[in-house]
């Protein structure tokens, strides 16, 4: 796939001090992690209200744990893809570069990004509903399904450390993400259908505060919103191409700046 990046887009990135990459399930699609709303999307088999809610968990903890155990298994066998790796490389190119992700698969950190705000939690973490004690996936493997807390006298229900529908986002992650979005010179919105709130508000917040908004998505519908530029295609292809162009632009720029 050859793609021409516009002067406008490249200049906005070359002049940028604060860059944000806001990601959804699409950025992990090429790692083999199913998206939510695509036709192979997880939700096509289940409905969000059936599984990713506290009610569903209290009503049928075994079914919800079966679904998360299956997803932990898929995610545990995946690797960051070229798109994740390109974003990790970009972190070093700007005075400030933050990942704001809706994903719970930990792939941005595994690719090497260090500033990662996880709006919807992380599937590799678990905790006891009653006493808050945290459990790794290895701890969980040793327990009966659905897992109960092993702390003496507790026996509370253990749940994945993810944000369910109707639950508040982690306040610190949300505050940091809001601040980074409002400060962004360039805001890349990558692989998201933009239907889940409050996360879906962030591109608009960035744009209202003057950010140059770039949408990367194979689906025209998702990208035709408020973006200044829409790059149509898979992020695992577009991001490495963009990273390469920035690298060569930086090297010529640095040559110019020293001359
Ligand atoms: C809250 C963790 C408030 C769990 C997730 C009515 C209107 C507006 C809002 C609401 C409403 N009713 C209810 C709400 C609020 C609700 C909400 O937004 N519902 C939606 C469905 C309408 N939000 C909440 O409940 C949030 N909390 O609002 O609390 C509150 C106030 C007071 C008191 C109490 C509470 C909490 C939301 C968090 C839900 N948890 N995940 C889990 O994963 O199991 S959300 C889940 O969806 C994932 O995090 C996922 O990332 C996220 C968003 O989906 P996307 O990432 O966009 O993925 P999707 O599949 O949709 O799209 C993929 C995109 O990638 C597509 O565009 C596709 O074209 C593209 N793509 C495909 N391949 C590629 C690609 N792109 C690039 N490259 C490719 N190769
Ligand atoms: Zn406990």
């Amino acid at each position: 796939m050859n793609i021409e990046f516009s002067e406008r887009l490249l200049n906005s990135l070359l002049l940028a001090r604060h860059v944000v990459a806001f990601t959804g399930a699409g950025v992990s699609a090429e790692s083999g992690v199913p998206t939510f709303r695509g036709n192979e999307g997880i939700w096509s088999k289940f409905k969000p209200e059936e599984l990713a809610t506290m009610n569903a968990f209290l009503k049928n903890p075994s079914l919800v744990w079966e679904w998360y155990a299956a997803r932990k298994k898929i995610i545990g066998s995946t690797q960051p893809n070229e798109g994740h790796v390109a974003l990790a490389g970009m972190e070093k190119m700007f005075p400030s570069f933050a990942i704001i992700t809706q994903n719970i698969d930990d792939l941005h950190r595994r690719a090497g990004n260090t500033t990662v705000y996880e709006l919807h939690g992380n599937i590799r973490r678990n905790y006891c509903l009653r006493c808050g004690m945290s459990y790794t996936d290895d701890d969980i493997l040793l327990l009966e399904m659905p897992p109960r807390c092993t702390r003496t006298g507790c026996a509370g229900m253990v749940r994945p450390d993810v944000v369910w529908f109707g639950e508040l986002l982690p306040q610190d992650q949300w505050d940091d993400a809001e601040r980074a979005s409002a400060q962004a010179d360039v805001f890349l919105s990558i692989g998201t259908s933009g239907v889940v709130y409050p996360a879906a508000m962030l591109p608009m917040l960035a744009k209202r505060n003057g950010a140059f908004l770039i949408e990367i998505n194979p689906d025209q519908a998702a990208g035709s919103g408020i973006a200044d530029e829409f790059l149509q295609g898979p992020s695992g292809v577009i991001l490495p191409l963009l990273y390469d162009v920035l690298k060569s632009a930086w090297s010529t720029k640095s040559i110019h700046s020293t001359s």
Side-chain angles (χ1 to χ4, degrees), residues 14-111:
L14 288 174
L15 295 171
R17 300 187 53 69
H18 305 284
V19 176
V20 163
F22 172 64
T23 65
V27 81
S28 300
E30 287 149 281
S31 295
V33 182
T35 62
F36 287 79
R37 290 162 192 87
N39 39 29
E40 90 298 338
I42 309 168
W43 297 134
S44 58
K45 298 179 193 63
F46 300 103
K47 293 217 172 14
E49 49 284 349
E50 270 174 17
L51 296 173
T53 66
M54 179 59 90
N55 286 344
F57 181 66
L58 297 176
K59 212 170 72 202
N60 191 337
S62 306
L63 176 68
V64 173
W65 258 108
E66 217 178 291
W67 184 52
Y68 279 98
R71 289 171 69 195
K72 284 173 183 273
K73 203 156 165 251
I74 297 171
I75 289 169
S77 63
T78 58
Q79 296 298 327
N81 62 56
E82 299 286 294
H84 293 108
V85 172
L87 289 173
M90 288 184 199
E91 178 171 293
K92 305 179 194 72
M93 285 181 160
F94 302 96
S96 92
F97 185 94
I99 298 272
I100 301 174
T101 190
Q102 302 171 85
N103 301 338
I104 60 172
D105 56 31
D106 208 35
L107 286 175
H108 287 300
R109 264 207 204 87
R110 287 181 52 200

Side-chain angles (χ1 to χ4, degrees), residues 22 100 119 174 177-178 181-182 187 198-207:
F22 172 64
I100 301 174
L119 298 182
W174 176 253
E178 248 192 336
S181 303
F187 190 97
M201 281 167 26
L202 293 175
M204 174 61 86
L205 171 68
K207 186 151 168 81

